[in-house]
Amino acid sequence: MTASQLLDNIILHENAYFYIKETSGFLSKRIIKETFSEAATDKHGRSLLEIVKEKKTLSNGIEIFYSILVFKYIKKPSFTEELIINWEEVKLAYMCIVDFEEHLVVTRRNISKISDFLKTFEVLDYNVITSIYSQDNTSFEKLSMDNMNISDRAIRQKSLESPDLKENVSSFGLQGYILNTVRVSNDEEKIALSVNSSRINQLGPKNTFNAFLNWCNKTVEKIKNYVPKTNFLSSFATSIDYSKHKDDLTPTSILIILSKIYKEFEENKIKRCFFRIKKRNEILEREINLIPILKQFEYLLEIEDIEDVYKIKNNVVNDLSLFLNNKSITLRSKKLSKLFIEYETDLCYPILSVINWTRSYIITFDNPEFIYCNRKLFKDSRLLGNLDSVLKIFKEDPELENVTSEKGKFQVNLTNFETNSVFGFVENTFKANYEYFICDDLSKEWADHIGLNEDSIAFYHSKYKNSNFSASDFQDIIGQALKNLGNLSPSDDQWEIKERLWSNLYKNDFVETQISRIRTGQSSNQTISYFKTIKGYPNIKKQVHIVINFISKSALEDRLHKLKNGESFQERNEVIQILWFISSLISSCFEANTEVYIHCKP
């Protein structure tokens, strides 16, 4: 077959990535050949089809250039350790570049080595890709979104599906989520959009190559004729121009999102992990278990500005830092650049490259209105604009100024927690409000105390510290509350372990006291029976109470107003992190239909 005959035999889905060029003009043959050469480094034999920069006049008179590459490659099966003769998997890969003067369209399959080429183009602006298929009668059928919440205990991703989500999803709270993918319906036309990667997929049968080119042209015309409009998707977080604000940004903390790597482990896509070490003139590889290393990075990490180097504080490597590029923020580390992930596809990448490519981190700054996520900068003025609302969850109690420990000292004849402990304060202050009050501290606890009555299920989380405005201490107690939100409505398989625990006396520091776990109420059986009953009440209130001694409401209010007014003060970075944690707590509790209160010093 001739190249023309082969091209006539190709059928493609109307599915491609759309980019914008920084400067108008068509790509040179040299750039396309270099890209094809990079994409086909593993090809077996000669290319099956290679057309470079072929001119084409479309039906509306627009002139474009297209280039296409098809090749064969050999792959080792995933279930063998080494390649066995006659056990090879023969696969085909293709890549097609459709070159408009100001835009570029790329469709590909089994191609993964062209990241350097694609970096030279801009993905479609968030507002453009979410608007070009939005009309008055558009139905939004499916959404997936990423959470900007910086708590390591927050739900990271959510997916929603309905015949039309704008009819049954409240827009309140969506500002804290970044839209990832969306499927819309316009009459008989369904389109799936990948917002972060600029992929547009018009669902339907495959079509001829010429029809694919005409679809690319129609889509580019939609992009060129974009007119800003407000629609249902406008409720989500929208990005601002990072390059315009880059010089004013000072990073203060980072949360590295590892869920994508963990998912690849679950799906058996990762073959092995290893360090690549150069010894004398020899390159050695030492396999490692990556999971324990990753666990050291699961928390919000502080960033220090040391001589204009943004060092990320952690317990694993001492050279991990952030670099503010012209268009994005990336992680750097010479030590971690030697740590590789090898996939079942035999492709091998440094772990930092994987994290940078997948945009797997959230960064906060000394200006709390800014947050960086998914390679985009977002500005949210609500954080400082709603300080009065934020402070309403704080409840002042002067008695918290007198506590001297979290649980007090333990003795075998003790029947109550010491009055000057946080536990003692909680019981003396709140126990009388409930028909059942339980000390659930230690051993896979849901909370330090649990209160039950006909109106509410309440979890009390307590913490004592000698610190003042400690973001790390605040993060610990917030994390404890967030990870147990689901236990406000326990599943049936959880009761057995609670029945055993709650029927015992309280034991701590190897001392078994006379403190009953059931602080108000009768037996553990009756307590559990009551819990099971009220959790099914349709109007039951779920509440989270955080009780701490190391924050004063008036002092926090003073610092937050200084922050809002742009004033400098000693605890600025800590207060910014605390503000983000409060915002995360409020957001997560709202989604779980749970009231939240923080009891602290006046």
Side-chain angles (χ1 to χ4, degrees):
M1 280 189 178
T2 64
S4 177
Q5 290 173 320
L6 290 171
L7 201 59
D8 288 341
N9 201 38
I10 289 176
I11 52 174
L12 297 172
H13 283 295
E14 292 172 341
N15 180 4
Y17 298 86
F18 289 78
Y19 301 94
I20 298 173
K21 298 177 180 178
E22 286 190 351
T23 55
S24 60
F26 295 106
L27 300 180
S28 67
K29 282 189 175 182
R30 178 185 61 81
I31 290 175
I32 295 171
K33 285 182 178 180
E34 287 176 354
T35 303
F36 280 178
S37 177
E38 182 182 8
T41 51
D42 296 328
K43 74 177 179 181
H44 183 72
R46 299 179 63 184
S47 297
L48 303 177
L49 176 64
E50 185 170 355
I51 299 173
V52 176
K53 200 172 180 180
E54 186 75 16
K55 191 173 184 179
K56 175 82 173 177
T57 302
L58 301 177
S59 55
N60 61 351
I62 296 290
E63 288 188 347
I64 58 131
F65 290 90
Y66 68 85
S67 304
I68 186 166
L69 172 70
V70 182
F71 62 90
K72 182 193 305 182
Y73 68 98
I74 302 294
K75 181 181 178 296
K76 178 184 73 64
S78 60
F79 54 84
T80 63
E81 186 171 353
E82 296 180 358
L83 187 63
I84 302 172
I85 295 175
N86 297 326
W87 283 38
E88 306 94 342
E89 291 183 352
V90 179
K91 291 183 174 272
L92 293 186
Y94 72 80
M95 177 181 181
C96 176
I97 299 173
V98 186
D99 192 3
F100 294 80
E101 198 161 5
E102 296 177 344
H103 298 80
L104 194 77
V105 184
V106 176
T107 184
R108 55 194 168 113
R109 182 179 179 185
N110 296 332
I111 299 284
S112 59
K113 296 182 178 180
I114 56 170
S115 56
D116 289 340
F117 168 69
L118 296 178
K119 282 178 186 176
T120 59
F121 308 102
E122 293 286 341
V123 297
L124 297 182
D125 182 80
Y126 179 97
N127 295 318
V128 175
I129 196 169
T130 56
S131 296
I132 57 176
Y133 290 99
S134 177
Q135 303 167 6
D136 292 339
N137 62 342
T138 298
S139 296
F140 298 89
E141 297 181 339
K142 188 175 183 180
L143 302 172
S144 72
M145 59 195 88
D146 293 332
N147 199 344
M148 288 198 299
N149 193 321
I150 64 166
S151 171
D152 55 283
R153 299 293 182 178
I155 295 173
R156 294 262 59 92
Q157 295 176 318
K158 288 202 324 185
S159 295
L160 304 173
E161 190 167 4
S162 165
D164 191 359
L165 288 164
K166 70 174 182 283
E167 295 179 350
N168 51 21
V169 173
S170 168
S171 61
F172 187 82
L174 294 182
Q175 298 92 339
Y177 284 90
I178 300 168
L179 194 61
N180 194 6
T181 61
V182 56
R183 187 178 75 228
V184 302
S185 177
N186 290 319
D187 297 324
E188 297 180 359
E189 180 185 65
K190 290 186 187 290
I191 304 100
L193 307 170
S194 296
V195 177
N196 294 319
S197 62
S198 265
R199 183 170 64 86
I200 299 174
N201 179 10
Q202 186 154 330
L203 279 61
K206 292 182 177 181
N207 218 325
T208 64
F209 185 71
N210 281 332
F212 172 77
L213 295 180
N214 283 314
W215 172 76
C216 291
N217 181 49
K218 284 197 306 181
T219 306
V220 168
E221 287 300 311
K222 284 180 180 288
I223 295 167
K224 289 166 65 175
N225 297 325
Y226 157 75
V227 176
K229 65 177 74 173
T230 301
N231 57 50
F232 169 66
L233 301 183
S234 303
S235 301
F236 289 86
T238 53
S239 61
I240 59 175
D241 191 337
Y242 161 80
S243 59
K244 289 182 180 179
H245 297 274
K246 169 184 170 291
D247 294 335
D248 300 322
L249 298 175
T250 302
T252 56
S253 63
I254 180 171
L255 179 68
I256 301 174
I257 310 298
L258 299 169
S259 53
K260 293 177 182 177
I261 295 178
Y262 286 143
K263 184 179 179 182
E264 289 174 333
F265 272 109
E266 291 171 10
E267 296 173 348
N268 298 316
K269 291 181 178 179
I270 295 178
K271 184 194 299 184
R272 67 183 183 121
C273 305
F274 62 90
F275 278 110
R276 184 172 286 170
I277 307 166
K278 187 174 182 180
K279 195 172 183 180
R280 299 186 181 90
N281 294 324
E282 189 178 5
I283 296 178
L284 305 176
E285 293 181 357
R286 177 169 61 87
E287 291 197 23
I288 59 144
N289 180 2
L290 185 61
I291 300 298
I293 296 176
L294 293 180
K295 286 186 70 67
Q296 301 298 315
F297 293 94
E298 290 180 345
Y299 312 98
L300 189 72
L301 303 173
E302 186 179 344
I303 298 173
E304 288 183 306
D305 184 356
I306 303 176
E307 297 179 354
D308 294 329
V309 176
Y310 297 116
K311 303 274 288 186
I312 300 174
K313 295 172 68 174
N314 66 92
N315 298 322
V316 180
V317 288
N318 59 9
D319 69 339
L320 183 62
S321 63
L322 279 185
F323 189 79
L324 276 63
N325 308 290
N326 289 330
K327 295 182 180 179
S328 64
I329 302 177
T330 53
L331 278 69
R332 290 185 175 182
S333 167
K334 287 185 179 180
K335 293 181 180 179
L336 285 182
S337 66
K338 300 172 184 176
L339 175 57
F340 285 78
I341 295 178
E342 184 176 346
Y343 292 89
E344 287 297 338
T345 57
D346 294 331
L347 295 174
C348 198
Y349 302 108
I351 187 169
L352 273 191
S353 297
V354 174
I355 292 172
N356 285 327
W357 290 339
T358 55
R359 308 173 293 275
S360 298
Y361 39 85
I362 301 173
I363 300 167
T364 64
F365 305 92
D366 66 344
N367 184 339
E369 293 186 330
F370 291 108
I371 192 164
Y372 185 88
C373 186
N374 279 14
R375 287 183 86 90
K376 293 183 177 68
L377 183 67
F378 297 84
K379 185 176 183 180
D380 188 351
S381 301
R382 295 170 306 137
L383 204 60
L384 289 177
N386 295 331
L387 287 185
D388 291 340
S389 299
V390 167
L391 288 166
K392 283 188 181 299
I393 71 170
F394 284 84
K395 303 299 178 183
E396 302 169 87
D397 201 306
E399 291 186 33
L400 283 169
E401 294 189 286
N402 301 321
V403 297
T404 57
S405 68
E406 187 167 297
K407 304 171 187 178
K409 296 178 181 178
F410 303 108
Q411 299 175 10
V412 293
N413 61 345
L414 204 65
T415 57
N416 292 293
F417 293 100
E418 292 182 347
T419 305
N420 60 351
S421 68
V422 182
F423 273 40
F425 164 81
V426 168
E427 294 196 356
N428 294 333
T429 307
F430 303 109
K431 185 173 65 173
N433 298 335
Y434 301 96
E435 293 188 40
Y436 290 85
F437 203 68
I438 309 117
C439 178
D440 191 44
D441 181 44
L442 308 175
S443 183
K444 294 184 178 180
E445 66 189 54
W446 294 344
D448 294 315
H449 287 90
I450 299 172
L452 308 172
N453 60 33
E454 291 290 306
D455 299 318
S456 63
I457 299 170
F459 280 7
Y460 287 83
H461 303 278
S462 303
K463 194 173 188 67
Y464 173 90
K465 284 291 179 181
N466 284 318
S467 58
N468 189 28
F469 292 115
S470 170
S472 59
D473 290 340
F474 196 67
Q475 179 183 11
D476 288 343
I477 193 72
I478 296 297
Q480 182 183 355
L482 291 180
K483 77 176 182 179
N484 285 295
L485 280 177
N487 290 324
L488 284 159
S489 298
S491 56
D492 290 339
D493 64 337
Q494 296 175 284
W495 294 119
E496 185 178 348
I497 188 171
K498 291 302 176 185
E499 185 177 352
R500 289 198 303 269
L501 176 68
W502 294 351
S503 62
N504 294 326
L505 296 172
Y506 184 81
K507 182 179 180 180
N508 202 331
D509 287 346
F510 305 104
V511 176
E512 183 174 291
T513 70
Q514 295 302 305
I515 300 174
S516 171
R517 288 279 185 174
I518 308 299
R519 308 302 296 142
T520 299
Q522 302 300 316
S523 67
S524 61
N525 282 333
Q526 288 180 331
T527 305
I528 289 172
S529 177
Y530 186 80
F531 203 153
K532 288 180 178 179
T533 300
I534 66 169
K535 79 164 189 163
Y537 290 177
N539 294 323
I540 194 77
K541 292 180 181 177
K542 295 184 290 183
Q543 297 178 340
V544 166
H545 296 260
I546 291 173
V547 187
I548 52 177
N549 74 304
F550 54 90
I551 285 181
S552 155
K553 181 180 178 180
S554 59
L556 179 62
E557 186 173 4
D558 171 72
R559 304 308 191 278
L560 289 175
H561 283 294
K562 286 181 177 178
L563 196 62
K564 184 177 182 178
N565 296 330
E567 300 176 37
S568 60
F569 55 95
Q570 184 178 353
E571 312 94 342
R572 182 182 175 88
N573 287 348
E574 287 77 8
V575 170
I576 289 172
Q577 290 188 38
I578 288 171
L579 179 59
W580 274 110
F581 287 133
I582 296 169
S583 175
S584 300
L585 178 66
I586 293 172
S587 175
S588 296
C589 287
F590 173 80
E591 290 189 21
N593 194 27
T594 300
E595 298 175 3
V596 58
Y597 305 95
I598 298 177
H599 304 271
C600 64
K601 295 185 295 186

